[in-house]
mmCIF file of all heavy atoms in Angstrom:
data_model
loop_
_atom_site.group_PDB
_atom_site.id
_atom_site.type_symbol
_atom_site.label_atom_id
_atom_site.label_comp_id
_atom_site.label_asym_id
_atom_site.label_seq_id
_atom_site.Cartn_x
_atom_site.Cartn_y
_atom_site.Cartn_z
ATOM 1 N N THR A 103 36.164 16.389 -29.818
ATOM 2 C CA THR A 103 36.081 15.024 -30.320
ATOM 3 C C THR A 103 37.012 14.897 -31.520
ATOM 4 O O THR A 103 37.222 15.859 -32.251
ATOM 5 C CB THR A 103 34.659 14.655 -30.795
ATOM 6 O OG1 THR A 103 34.446 15.197 -32.101
ATOM 7 C CG2 THR A 103 33.610 15.179 -29.854
ATOM 8 N N PHE A 104 37.566 13.714 -31.700
ATOM 9 C CA PHE A 104 38.426 13.541 -32.876
ATOM 10 C C PHE A 104 38.451 12.094 -33.338
ATOM 11 O O PHE A 104 38.265 11.160 -32.555
ATOM 12 C CB PHE A 104 39.850 14.020 -32.588
ATOM 13 C CG PHE A 104 40.595 13.155 -31.594
ATOM 14 C CD1 PHE A 104 41.446 12.149 -32.045
ATOM 15 C CD2 PHE A 104 40.432 13.330 -30.229
ATOM 16 C CE1 PHE A 104 42.132 11.344 -31.138
ATOM 17 C CE2 PHE A 104 41.112 12.525 -29.320
ATOM 18 C CZ PHE A 104 41.958 11.533 -29.769
ATOM 19 N N HIS A 105 38.681 11.941 -34.626
ATOM 20 C CA HIS A 105 38.885 10.613 -35.205
ATOM 21 C C HIS A 105 40.143 10.679 -36.067
ATOM 22 O O HIS A 105 40.186 11.395 -37.062
ATOM 23 C CB HIS A 105 37.676 10.199 -36.042
ATOM 24 C CG HIS A 105 37.859 8.886 -36.732
ATOM 25 N ND1 HIS A 105 37.843 7.680 -36.055
ATOM 26 C CD2 HIS A 105 38.101 8.587 -38.025
ATOM 27 C CE1 HIS A 105 38.040 6.703 -36.908
ATOM 28 N NE2 HIS A 105 38.212 7.220 -38.112
ATOM 29 N N GLU A 107 42.994 12.238 -35.706
ATOM 30 C CA GLU A 107 43.561 13.575 -35.909
ATOM 31 C C GLU A 107 45.086 13.467 -35.893
ATOM 32 O O GLU A 107 45.646 12.577 -35.242
ATOM 33 C CB GLU A 107 43.086 14.508 -34.788
ATOM 34 C CG GLU A 107 43.512 15.955 -34.916
ATOM 35 C CD GLU A 107 43.058 16.594 -36.224
ATOM 36 O OE1 GLU A 107 41.860 16.777 -36.418
ATOM 37 O OE2 GLU A 107 43.937 16.918 -37.063
ATOM 38 N N ASP A 136 37.204 9.225 -30.912
ATOM 39 C CA ASP A 136 36.138 8.498 -31.594
ATOM 40 C C ASP A 136 36.722 7.293 -32.335
ATOM 41 O O ASP A 136 36.736 7.245 -33.561
ATOM 42 C CB ASP A 136 35.386 9.441 -32.548
ATOM 43 C CG ASP A 136 34.118 8.806 -33.115
ATOM 44 O OD1 ASP A 136 33.691 7.756 -32.588
ATOM 45 O OD2 ASP A 136 33.571 9.358 -34.090
ATOM 46 N N ARG A 161 33.176 3.399 -33.525
ATOM 47 C CA ARG A 161 33.042 4.704 -34.172
ATOM 48 C C ARG A 161 31.613 5.212 -33.989
ATOM 49 O O ARG A 161 30.655 4.525 -34.355
ATOM 50 C CB ARG A 161 33.364 4.526 -35.661
ATOM 51 C CG ARG A 161 33.246 5.780 -36.492
ATOM 52 C CD ARG A 161 34.524 6.579 -36.484
ATOM 53 N NE ARG A 161 34.416 7.707 -37.402
ATOM 54 C CZ ARG A 161 34.630 7.652 -38.702
ATOM 55 N NH1 ARG A 161 34.979 6.497 -39.265
ATOM 56 N NH2 ARG A 161 34.525 8.722 -39.451
ATOM 57 N N GLY A 163 30.898 8.828 -34.526
ATOM 58 C CA GLY A 163 30.683 10.084 -35.231
ATOM 59 C C GLY A 163 30.727 11.247 -34.253
ATOM 60 O O GLY A 163 30.673 11.053 -33.038
ATOM 61 N N LEU A 164 30.814 12.435 -34.789
ATOM 62 C CA LEU A 164 31.064 13.583 -33.907
ATOM 63 C C LEU A 164 29.854 13.948 -33.059
ATOM 64 O O LEU A 164 30.004 14.524 -31.976
ATOM 65 C CB LEU A 164 31.545 14.781 -34.739
ATOM 66 C CG LEU A 164 30.559 15.524 -35.637
ATOM 67 C CD1 LEU A 164 29.929 16.700 -34.904
ATOM 68 C CD2 LEU A 164 31.275 16.039 -36.861
ATOM 69 N N ARG A 168 30.189 14.110 -29.044
ATOM 70 C CA ARG A 168 30.043 15.362 -28.293
ATOM 71 C C ARG A 168 29.067 15.197 -27.134
ATOM 72 O O ARG A 168 29.273 15.773 -26.067
ATOM 73 C CB ARG A 168 29.544 16.475 -29.207
ATOM 74 C CG ARG A 168 30.656 17.073 -30.039
ATOM 75 C CD ARG A 168 30.185 18.355 -30.681
ATOM 76 N NE ARG A 168 31.103 18.707 -31.753
ATOM 77 C CZ ARG A 168 30.744 19.334 -32.869
ATOM 78 N NH1 ARG A 168 29.488 19.680 -33.054
ATOM 79 N NH2 ARG A 168 31.641 19.611 -33.785
ATOM 80 N N ASP A 184 36.722 21.875 -32.639
ATOM 81 C CA ASP A 184 37.231 20.846 -33.532
ATOM 82 C C ASP A 184 38.650 20.474 -33.086
ATOM 83 O O ASP A 184 39.272 21.200 -32.310
ATOM 84 C CB ASP A 184 37.265 21.366 -34.977
ATOM 85 C CG ASP A 184 35.991 21.008 -35.743
ATOM 86 O OD1 ASP A 184 35.000 20.646 -35.106
ATOM 87 O OD2 ASP A 184 36.018 21.083 -36.993
ATOM 88 N N SER A 185 39.175 19.395 -33.626
ATOM 89 C CA SER A 185 40.454 18.872 -33.152
ATOM 90 C C SER A 185 41.664 19.456 -33.872
ATOM 91 O O SER A 185 42.781 18.999 -33.681
ATOM 92 C CB SER A 185 40.441 17.353 -33.282
ATOM 93 O OG SER A 185 39.992 16.969 -34.574
ATOM 94 N N HIS A 186 41.427 20.468 -34.720
ATOM 95 C CA HIS A 186 42.550 21.111 -35.434
ATOM 96 C C HIS A 186 42.341 22.619 -35.408
ATOM 97 O O HIS A 186 42.149 23.241 -36.441
ATOM 98 C CB HIS A 186 42.641 20.593 -36.871
ATOM 99 C CG HIS A 186 41.285 20.230 -37.414
ATOM 100 N ND1 HIS A 186 40.869 18.929 -37.548
ATOM 101 C CD2 HIS A 186 40.221 21.002 -37.756
ATOM 102 C CE1 HIS A 186 39.614 18.923 -37.971
ATOM 103 N NE2 HIS A 186 39.205 20.162 -38.116
ATOM 104 N N ILE A 213 35.724 32.549 -36.922
ATOM 105 C CA ILE A 213 36.611 31.414 -37.178
ATOM 106 C C ILE A 213 37.655 31.805 -38.227
ATOM 107 O O ILE A 213 37.344 31.979 -39.407
ATOM 108 C CB ILE A 213 35.796 30.171 -37.585
ATOM 109 C CG1 ILE A 213 34.751 29.874 -36.485
ATOM 110 C CG2 ILE A 213 36.724 28.972 -37.781
ATOM 111 C CD1 ILE A 213 33.807 28.732 -36.778
ATOM 112 N N PHE A 240 25.765 24.761 -45.702
ATOM 113 C CA PHE A 240 26.203 25.905 -44.898
ATOM 114 C C PHE A 240 27.091 26.830 -45.719
ATOM 115 O O PHE A 240 27.916 26.388 -46.490
ATOM 116 C CB PHE A 240 26.990 25.417 -43.672
ATOM 117 C CG PHE A 240 27.533 26.551 -42.837
ATOM 118 C CD1 PHE A 240 26.756 27.141 -41.854
ATOM 119 C CD2 PHE A 240 28.819 27.040 -43.059
ATOM 120 C CE1 PHE A 240 27.243 28.203 -41.101
ATOM 121 C CE2 PHE A 240 29.307 28.112 -42.311
ATOM 122 C CZ PHE A 240 28.523 28.685 -41.329
ATOM 123 N N TRP A 242 29.136 30.947 -45.486
ATOM 124 C CA TRP A 242 29.337 32.243 -44.836
ATOM 125 C C TRP A 242 28.726 33.283 -45.740
ATOM 126 O O TRP A 242 28.882 33.212 -46.954
ATOM 127 C CB TRP A 242 30.833 32.527 -44.663
ATOM 128 C CG TRP A 242 31.515 31.525 -43.794
ATOM 129 C CD1 TRP A 242 32.369 30.532 -44.210
ATOM 130 C CD2 TRP A 242 31.413 31.388 -42.370
ATOM 131 N NE1 TRP A 242 32.797 29.798 -43.134
ATOM 132 C CE2 TRP A 242 32.227 30.292 -41.993
ATOM 133 C CE3 TRP A 242 30.709 32.074 -41.380
ATOM 134 C CZ2 TRP A 242 32.353 29.872 -40.674
ATOM 135 C CZ3 TRP A 242 30.842 31.655 -40.058
ATOM 136 C CH2 TRP A 242 31.653 30.574 -39.708
ATOM 137 N N ALA A 266 28.384 27.552 -37.744
ATOM 138 C CA ALA A 266 29.155 26.582 -38.540
ATOM 139 C C ALA A 266 29.096 25.214 -37.870
ATOM 140 O O ALA A 266 29.056 24.191 -38.540
ATOM 141 C CB ALA A 266 30.589 27.057 -38.690
ATOM 142 N N GLY A 267 29.091 25.203 -36.554
ATOM 143 C CA GLY A 267 28.825 23.950 -35.857
ATOM 144 C C GLY A 267 29.926 23.433 -34.961
ATOM 145 O O GLY A 267 29.652 22.775 -33.972
ATOM 146 N N GLY A 268 31.158 23.729 -35.272
ATOM 147 C CA GLY A 268 32.247 23.073 -34.550
ATOM 148 C C GLY A 268 32.735 23.801 -33.326
ATOM 149 O O GLY A 268 33.270 23.199 -32.404
ATOM 150 N N ILE A 269 32.567 25.113 -33.308
ATOM 151 C CA ILE A 269 33.205 25.909 -32.275
ATOM 152 C C ILE A 269 32.157 26.809 -31.641
ATOM 153 O O ILE A 269 31.726 27.786 -32.247
ATOM 154 C CB ILE A 269 34.354 26.749 -32.889
ATOM 155 C CG1 ILE A 269 35.281 25.840 -33.714
ATOM 156 C CG2 ILE A 269 35.113 27.494 -31.812
ATOM 157 C CD1 ILE A 269 36.377 26.562 -34.460
ATOM 158 N N ILE A 289 28.037 10.140 -37.711
ATOM 159 C CA ILE A 289 29.352 10.588 -38.219
ATOM 160 C C ILE A 289 29.520 12.104 -38.364
ATOM 161 O O ILE A 289 30.217 12.723 -37.570
ATOM 162 C CB ILE A 289 29.717 9.897 -39.568
ATOM 163 C CG1 ILE A 289 29.625 8.376 -39.390
ATOM 164 C CG2 ILE A 289 31.134 10.272 -40.031
ATOM 165 C CD1 ILE A 289 30.616 7.765 -38.434
ATOM 166 N N TRP A 290 28.915 12.708 -39.338
ATOM 167 C CA TRP A 290 29.233 14.111 -39.673
ATOM 168 C C TRP A 290 28.066 14.742 -40.416
ATOM 169 O O TRP A 290 27.448 14.098 -41.240
ATOM 170 C CB TRP A 290 30.480 14.121 -40.576
ATOM 171 C CG TRP A 290 31.024 15.470 -40.925
ATOM 172 C CD1 TRP A 290 32.089 16.104 -40.333
ATOM 173 C CD2 TRP A 290 30.568 16.354 -41.967
ATOM 174 N NE1 TRP A 290 32.297 17.333 -40.933
ATOM 175 C CE2 TRP A 290 31.381 17.509 -41.946
ATOM 176 C CE3 TRP A 290 29.542 16.292 -42.908
ATOM 177 C CZ2 TRP A 290 31.210 18.575 -42.826
ATOM 178 C CZ3 TRP A 290 29.363 17.365 -43.788
ATOM 179 C CH2 TRP A 290 30.209 18.482 -43.740
ATOM 180 N N GLY A 291 27.803 15.995 -40.129
ATOM 181 C CA GLY A 291 26.908 16.809 -40.968
ATOM 182 C C GLY A 291 25.496 16.956 -40.447
ATOM 183 O O GLY A 291 24.944 16.052 -39.827
ATOM 184 N N GLY A 292 24.913 18.130 -40.703
ATOM 185 C CA GLY A 292 23.500 18.357 -40.414
ATOM 186 C C GLY A 292 23.196 18.768 -38.991
ATOM 187 O O GLY A 292 22.196 19.442 -38.737
ATOM 188 N N GLU A 293 24.050 18.381 -38.044
ATOM 189 C CA GLU A 293 23.750 18.659 -36.635
ATOM 190 C C GLU A 293 23.783 20.152 -36.338
ATOM 191 O O GLU A 293 23.100 20.621 -35.432
ATOM 192 C CB GLU A 293 24.700 17.871 -35.720
ATOM 193 C CG GLU A 293 25.980 18.568 -35.263
ATOM 194 C CD GLU A 293 26.941 18.905 -36.379
ATOM 195 O OE1 GLU A 293 26.840 18.311 -37.464
ATOM 196 O OE2 GLU A 293 27.807 19.777 -36.182
ATOM 197 N N ASN A 294 24.562 20.894 -37.121
ATOM 198 C CA ASN A 294 24.621 22.334 -36.873
ATOM 199 C C ASN A 294 23.305 23.019 -37.255
ATOM 200 O O ASN A 294 22.880 23.963 -36.601
ATOM 201 C CB ASN A 294 25.818 22.987 -37.581
ATOM 202 C CG ASN A 294 25.877 22.695 -39.059
ATOM 203 O OD1 ASN A 294 25.442 21.628 -39.509
ATOM 204 N ND2 ASN A 294 26.406 23.604 -39.836
ATOM 205 N N HIS A 318 40.991 27.610 -37.473
ATOM 206 C CA HIS A 318 40.559 26.250 -37.792
ATOM 207 C C HIS A 318 41.146 25.861 -39.144
ATOM 208 O O HIS A 318 41.152 26.681 -40.065
ATOM 209 C CB HIS A 318 39.026 26.202 -37.839
ATOM 210 C CG HIS A 318 38.449 24.944 -38.419
ATOM 211 N ND1 HIS A 318 38.040 24.840 -39.739
ATOM 212 C CD2 HIS A 318 38.226 23.725 -37.861
ATOM 213 C CE1 HIS A 318 37.581 23.616 -39.962
ATOM 214 N NE2 HIS A 318 37.671 22.919 -38.838
ATOM 215 N N PHE A 320 40.595 24.510 -42.397
ATOM 216 C CA PHE A 320 39.498 24.162 -43.308
ATOM 217 C C PHE A 320 40.037 23.208 -44.369
ATOM 218 O O PHE A 320 41.071 23.458 -44.964
ATOM 219 C CB PHE A 320 38.955 25.426 -43.990
ATOM 220 C CG PHE A 320 38.150 26.303 -43.079
ATOM 221 C CD1 PHE A 320 38.771 27.190 -42.207
ATOM 222 C CD2 PHE A 320 36.765 26.243 -43.085
ATOM 223 C CE1 PHE A 320 38.027 28.008 -41.360
ATOM 224 C CE2 PHE A 320 36.012 27.061 -42.239
ATOM 225 C CZ PHE A 320 36.644 27.936 -41.388
ATOM 226 N N ARG A 321 39.296 22.135 -44.618
ATOM 227 C CA ARG A 321 39.771 21.142 -45.587
ATOM 228 C C ARG A 321 38.829 21.025 -46.767
ATOM 229 O O ARG A 321 37.687 21.450 -46.700
ATOM 230 C CB ARG A 321 39.884 19.780 -44.908
ATOM 231 C CG ARG A 321 40.855 19.786 -43.764
ATOM 232 C CD ARG A 321 41.024 18.407 -43.241
ATOM 233 N NE ARG A 321 39.975 18.081 -42.279
ATOM 234 C CZ ARG A 321 40.140 17.221 -41.299
ATOM 235 N NH1 ARG A 321 41.290 16.583 -41.183
ATOM 236 N NH2 ARG A 321 39.150 16.958 -40.470
ATOM 237 N N TYR A 326 38.751 10.906 -43.423
ATOM 238 C CA TYR A 326 38.386 9.628 -42.804
ATOM 239 C C TYR A 326 37.287 8.966 -43.615
ATOM 240 O O TYR A 326 36.616 9.607 -44.424
ATOM 241 C CB TYR A 326 37.898 9.852 -41.371
ATOM 242 C CG TYR A 326 37.106 11.114 -41.190
ATOM 243 C CD1 TYR A 326 35.780 11.196 -41.615
ATOM 244 C CD2 TYR A 326 37.685 12.251 -40.615
ATOM 245 C CE1 TYR A 326 35.058 12.364 -41.465
ATOM 246 C CE2 TYR A 326 36.953 13.437 -40.465
ATOM 247 C CZ TYR A 326 35.649 13.478 -40.905
ATOM 248 O OH TYR A 326 34.929 14.637 -40.767
HETATM 249 O O1 LR7 B 501 33.554 10.279 -37.210
HETATM 250 C C1 LR7 B 501 34.010 11.353 -36.851
HETATM 251 N N1 LR7 B 501 34.286 11.549 -35.545
HETATM 252 C C2 LR7 B 501 34.812 12.721 -35.072
HETATM 253 O O2 LR7 B 501 35.053 12.838 -33.871
HETATM 254 C C3 LR7 B 501 34.239 12.412 -37.757
HETATM 255 C C4 LR7 B 501 34.771 13.600 -37.283
HETATM 256 N N2 LR7 B 501 35.087 13.737 -35.970
HETATM 257 C C5 LR7 B 501 35.629 14.992 -35.451
HETATM 258 C C6 LR7 B 501 36.830 15.529 -36.217
HETATM 259 O O3 LR7 B 501 38.030 14.967 -35.751
HETATM 260 C C7 LR7 B 501 36.715 17.027 -35.953
HETATM 261 O O4 LR7 B 501 37.274 17.358 -34.710
HETATM 262 O O5 LR7 B 501 34.632 15.980 -35.614
HETATM 263 C C8 LR7 B 501 35.209 17.240 -35.883
HETATM 264 C C9 LR7 B 501 34.625 17.843 -37.156
HETATM 265 O O6 LR7 B 501 35.024 17.114 -38.287
HETATM 266 P P1 LR7 B 501 35.889 17.759 -39.467
HETATM 267 O O7 LR7 B 501 36.856 18.704 -38.913
HETATM 268 O O8 LR7 B 501 36.410 16.652 -40.294
HETATM 269 O O9 LR7 B 501 34.813 18.508 -40.338
HETATM 270 P P2 LR7 B 501 34.540 20.085 -40.612
HETATM 271 O O10 LR7 B 501 35.597 20.955 -40.106
HETATM 272 O O11 LR7 B 501 34.094 20.247 -42.012
HETATM 273 O O12 LR7 B 501 33.256 20.213 -39.681
HETATM 274 C C10 LR7 B 501 32.297 21.229 -39.630
HETATM 275 O O13 LR7 B 501 30.999 20.679 -39.921
HETATM 276 C C11 LR7 B 501 30.655 19.568 -39.096
HETATM 277 C C12 LR7 B 501 29.291 19.094 -39.540
HETATM 278 O O14 LR7 B 501 28.942 17.946 -38.880
HETATM 279 C C13 LR7 B 501 30.696 19.914 -37.629
HETATM 280 O O15 LR7 B 501 29.700 20.800 -37.274
HETATM 281 C C14 LR7 B 501 32.074 20.489 -37.330
HETATM 282 O O16 LR7 B 501 32.172 20.800 -35.980
HETATM 283 C C15 LR7 B 501 32.275 21.701 -38.204
HETATM 284 N N3 LR7 B 501 33.501 22.433 -37.959
HETATM 285 C C16 LR7 B 501 33.447 23.771 -37.760
HETATM 286 O O17 LR7 B 501 32.415 24.374 -37.625
HETATM 287 C C17 LR7 B 501 34.734 24.512 -37.703
HETATM 288 C C18 LR7 B 501 34.660 25.636 -38.670
HETATM 289 C C19 LR7 B 501 34.461 25.109 -40.060
HETATM 290 C C20 LR7 B 501 33.391 25.667 -40.818
HETATM 291 C C21 LR7 B 501 32.521 26.114 -41.532
#
Side-chain angles (χ1 to χ4, degrees):
T103 80
F104 68 96
H105 176 72
E107 184 57 67
D136 190 13
R161 179 87 174 277
L164 72 92
R168 280 193 196 148
D184 267 16
S185 49
H186 31 255
I213 304 176
F240 177 86
W242 298 106
I269 309 175
I289 306 295
W290 185 99
E293 93 296 341
N294 54 329
H318 168 263
F320 287 81
R321 299 186 276 208
Y326 36 77

